[in-house]
Amino acid sequence: MRKIRVSSTLTVYHDGQFWVGVFERVEDDRYSVCRVVFGAEPSNEEVLDLVCSRYNELRFTKPMAHEEMPKQAANPKRRQREASREMRQRGPSTKAQQALQEEREASAQQRKADARDKREDEKRQRFEQRQEKRKAKHRGK
């Protein structure tokens, strides 16, 4: 039987305009991220509903390699102080931001490729219609 290690973290912060939640998931040393915009400050019930009911609907980025973080101190008060100090300094992890940026770029490239294919297909169809019309005129119809 194969064991799977899964670790998930939710960070909720205010980005200046909206309240945003960043889900970070590590599954068998593969890192993926999902960003959720709440709008107004979410209540505890909204966050709990998101985590419990709608977690499977979230669209995570494509998994990428993840290196393990060093062990943190065992003292919970120290961990809480360090976490609050880090959150005051920079918000969500830069790795999460980088993964989200890569996902946005990939989706933009895919959108451009789809639009190009659609344009070329429409152009080909118009050409074929013109050819059919010319053939019909040549036949005298």
Side-chain angles (χ1 to χ4, degrees):
M1 178 177 278
R2 184 175 165 233
K3 291 185 179 179
I4 298 175
R5 293 185 315 145
V6 177
S7 170
S8 193
T9 304
L10 169 62
T11 306
V12 178
Y13 66 97
H14 190 263
D15 70 352
Q17 186 175 9
F18 299 110
W19 284 89
V20 178
V22 176
F23 283 92
E24 298 177 80
R25 177 175 66 185
V26 179
E27 186 173 340
D28 280 342
D29 296 331
R30 304 296 291 165
Y31 180 80
S32 58
V33 177
C34 177
R35 181 174 184 258
V36 178
V37 178
F38 290 109
E41 183 174 3
S43 65
N44 290 340
E45 290 80 20
E46 287 177 299
V47 174
L48 184 64
D49 178 55
L50 177 68
V51 172
C52 293
S53 302
R54 299 184 322 205
Y55 185 80
N56 292 333
E57 300 170 10
L58 297 176
R59 291 180 36 196
F60 282 88
T61 61
K62 293 179 181 150
M64 52 202 255
H66 174 69
E67 53 278 344
E68 196 64 37
M69 297 289 190
K71 258 316 215 189
Q72 292 184 347
N75 186 336
K77 287 184 180 180
R78 178 174 292 146
R79 280 201 326 250
Q80 186 175 11
R81 281 195 305 270
E82 289 172 355
S84 65
R85 188 178 309 125
E86 187 175 324
M87 289 305 295
R88 279 195 306 264
Q89 289 175 356
R90 63 177 175 93
S93 74
T94 56
K95 187 167 187 169
Q97 291 172 345
Q98 180 183 8
L100 289 170
Q101 180 64 30
E102 289 174 3
E103 188 69 21
R104 275 193 296 272
E105 290 172 358
S107 66
Q109 288 176 351
Q110 182 64 38
R111 214 173 29 253
K112 285 180 183 179
D114 291 344
R116 181 175 53 246
D117 292 343
K118 184 179 176 185
R119 254 192 331 269
E120 290 173 358
D121 190 39
E122 289 173 354
K123 187 176 178 181
R124 183 186 50 75
Q125 286 178 350
R126 284 194 306 268
F127 177 74
E128 289 175 358
Q129 285 176 345
R130 283 196 313 266
Q131 293 299 322
E132 290 294 324
K133 189 174 179 181
R134 286 178 67 196
K135 286 181 183 178
K137 282 185 176 180
H138 185 69
R139 290 187 193 125
K141 293 184 181 180

